[in-house]
Amino acid sequence: MNTASRRVPTGLLAALPLLLLWAPLRQLLEGSMALHMLVELPLLLASGWAAGAVLAHHRLPAGLPCRVDAHGVLGLAFASCVGALWMIPSMLDLSLLDAGVQWAKYGAWWLSGVVLRASWRRSEPEIAAFFVGNMAWMLATAGLLYQDEEQRLCVSYLVDEQAVAGKGLIVLALVLAGLALHRAVAAPRPAAIQPGERLTPDAGERTSGMIRR
Amino acid sequence: MPAARGSAAAARPRALVTTLLAALALLVGFIALVGQLTRGFEYWTFEALRRDDAAGARLLAPPVALSGPYRAASTPWPGQPGEVFLVDFIYTRCPTVCSALGAEYTRMQRALRERFGADSPIRLVSIAFDRAHDTPAALRDYGITHRQAPELWQIGTPVDAAAQETLLRSLGVVAVPDGMGGFVHNGAIHLIDAGGTVRGIYDLERWPQALERALALAAAGRS
């Protein structure tokens, strides 16, 4: 697929949240806890990621400035905070019962997708693996809690849906753990650097993912 | 360009320090936000927050018009000083918790009659939310099943969908279809004072405590 033909689906994915203005789709996605947590929220993140690509293509700001996001740390931390916030059961309920919280949720997940794209590219494998590993651990903890809790944690969902969402979160945690491992292990390693040889500043930018010695 | 290279090299540690400070600020802000949302990391569910609101008298029930089994009437609040209402939310086809609530209300009604006769400052209110099925006839049958005395126990359903939405939203009562034609809802006893402020939310099995608190509030309101 060439660049131009890739640009169309990316643009469509970036504009995906506009579909949430259509109430029946919103109700479908948010009517089930599993769809809400495992489809809607990741799709918003992916949409933000795609929007980042569109912005970058048009040479518009598409991430945090380098001076506050060295190695992608701030962007990865921001995305982790957004992820953690929406694991809290009361936030899920409030996003269904309070319009302000609902749109804050859409905005936060979409924005974290935009930020994450740039920060992910800046991050080195160890740093990316640290944040993704932490997110996987957090999802697995939330998933186990949702799966085993006999009381309803959200007034908007049934206990059965809660258990299904919990299982889904555990699967997602395993996928993320695999991603963290892959990023850490499969990253390209630098060739042996001879004593006295130095990486130039430009090379440092180009070799994102390399371990500098 | 050694000078440019040197300044770029100097900028990298500066960027790292700025980044770490910004990340720390983000973390502190995030912890503060979660602390605020969970009221000191104590209440993590909507229901827990709702009950804390009730305990702190921060939950207000707006008065709405109800249609009852025999005639239309408004919610009894706002009422006279010293009046207190024990309010539950039901649907008449409910085979489980609403029937249990009905049975407990029958017991509370008996306790109120023994103590105050027909002129009780504490009254029971059951609000039915299944508008499609909670017809006047269904409400009448529910009342007959649970030996409702209209002077002590008011049963009704909001007159229209907007009134129901207003009342249930204000109180944070959520009814979710259970997939079998019924509903799962946060069915509890709401203690509401004469001004419409919710003063406590009690689980079904804690109805004696709800009644005791209602008696104390009624006595305090009259003195």
Side-chain angles (χ1 to χ4, degrees):
Chain A
M1 199 184 279
N2 63 31
T3 312
S5 59
R6 258 204 314 265
R7 217 173 291 146
V8 175
T10 306
L12 287 176
L13 185 58
L16 201 66
L18 292 175
L19 288 178
L20 290 170
L21 292 170
W22 190 42
L25 178 70
R26 206 166 60 228
Q27 284 157 7
L28 173 74
L29 282 174
E30 294 171 356
S32 143
M33 196 173 185
L35 286 178
H36 190 170
M37 298 187 85
L38 301 166
V39 176
E40 187 188 76
L41 300 183
L43 266 181
L44 283 165
L45 186 80
S47 170
W49 186 292
V54 173
L55 290 170
H57 177 75
H58 290 95
R59 300 186 183 285
L60 291 166
L64 296 168
C66 288
R67 63 180 177 280
V68 290
D69 192 34
H71 308 291
V73 167
L74 188 60
L76 286 164
F78 177 73
S80 302
C81 288
V82 170
L85 187 65
W86 296 97
M87 293 299 120
I88 300 175
S90 62
M91 292 305 290
L92 290 177
D93 270 330
L94 284 170
S95 76
L96 300 176
L97 300 169
D98 182 315
V101 179
Q102 180 184 32
W103 291 103
K105 176 187 73 179
Y106 299 152
W109 276 89
W110 189 81
L111 187 65
S112 73
V114 175
V115 166
L116 190 59
R117 179 183 170 275
S119 299
W120 182 258
R121 290 167 162 230
R122 281 179 196 146
S123 66
E124 285 159 341
E126 292 78 4
I127 290 173
F130 170 78
F131 279 100
V132 177
N134 265 315
M135 181 56 80
W137 170 82
M138 187 192 70
L139 287 176
T141 307
L144 285 171
L145 178 71
Y146 278 41
Q147 184 186 247
D148 296 338
E149 179 60 53
E150 290 174 2
Q151 300 290 319
R152 287 194 306 151
L153 292 172
C154 293
V155 293
S156 307
Y157 297 113
L158 305 175
V159 173
D160 297 351
E161 290 175 4
Q162 185 173 290
V164 172
K167 285 186 177 71
L169 287 175
I170 293 168
V171 171
L172 188 59
L174 291 172
V175 170
L176 283 185
L179 177 70
L181 210 61
H182 178 264
R183 177 86 199 265
V185 171
R189 299 280 155 187
I193 298 173
Q194 298 304 315
E197 189 184 348
R198 290 195 317 183
L199 285 172
T200 64
D202 286 351
E205 288 302 313
R206 283 200 304 270
T207 54
S208 166
M210 291 171 67
I211 299 172
R212 295 191 197 105
R213 294 179 184 160
Chain B
M1 302 240 311
R5 194 177 296 172
S7 75
R12 274 204 300 274
R14 265 209 307 276
L16 189 59
V17 170
T18 318
T19 296
L20 291 177
L21 286 175
L24 185 66
L26 174 72
L27 191 64
V28 169
F30 174 70
I31 291 171
L33 176 67
V34 173
Q36 176 126 7
L37 291 169
T38 59
R39 298 187 189 152
F41 307 98
E42 203 162 340
Y43 305 110
W44 296 85
T45 65
F46 178 81
E47 184 63 13
L49 289 168
R50 190 175 84 95
R51 291 185 182 214
D52 184 53
D53 279 340
R58 294 186 295 271
L59 209 56
L60 195 66
V64 297
L66 302 174
S67 54
Y70 305 104
R71 61 187 175 83
S74 171
T75 47
W77 60 86
Q80 299 300 316
E83 283 188 322
V84 182
F85 312 102
L86 290 165
V87 183
D88 69 347
F89 293 86
I90 60 161
Y91 66 104
T92 54
R93 291 180 306 145
C94 176
T96 54
V97 69
C98 309
S99 293
L101 269 168
E104 302 304 5
Y105 266 47
T106 307
R107 294 169 74 178
M108 282 199 281
Q109 180 179 255
R110 193 182 308 132
L112 291 174
R113 187 182 292 288
E114 284 168 6
R115 190 173 178 114
F116 299 107
D119 191 25
S120 170
I122 299 165
R123 274 180 288 156
L124 311 177
V125 182
S126 291
I127 296 175
F129 57 77
D130 183 7
R131 301 178 43 70
H133 298 96
D134 291 335
T135 59
L139 295 180
R140 193 161 52 240
D141 288 346
Y142 182 86
I144 290 168
T145 303
H146 296 291
R147 285 177 254 160
Q148 171 221 8
E151 69 279 10
L152 289 171
W153 182 1
Q154 179 182 352
I155 299 175
T157 190
V159 284
D160 53 39
Q164 177 159 311
E165 176 76 1
T166 301
L167 182 60
L168 267 59
R169 270 286 168 106
S170 304
L171 295 180
V173 173
V174 179
V176 186
D178 65 3
M180 292 178 288
F183 298 91
V184 173
H185 64 103
N186 34 357
I189 302 168
H190 296 64
L191 177 60
I192 297 180
D193 67 16
T197 302
V198 182
R199 305 296 293 268
I201 299 175
Y202 298 83
D203 281 329
L204 177 59
E205 63 276 11
R206 294 187 64 227
W207 70 267
Q209 285 90 337
L211 188 56
E212 196 178 319
R213 178 87 199 286
L215 288 166
L217 270 179
R222 278 177 298 172
S223 61

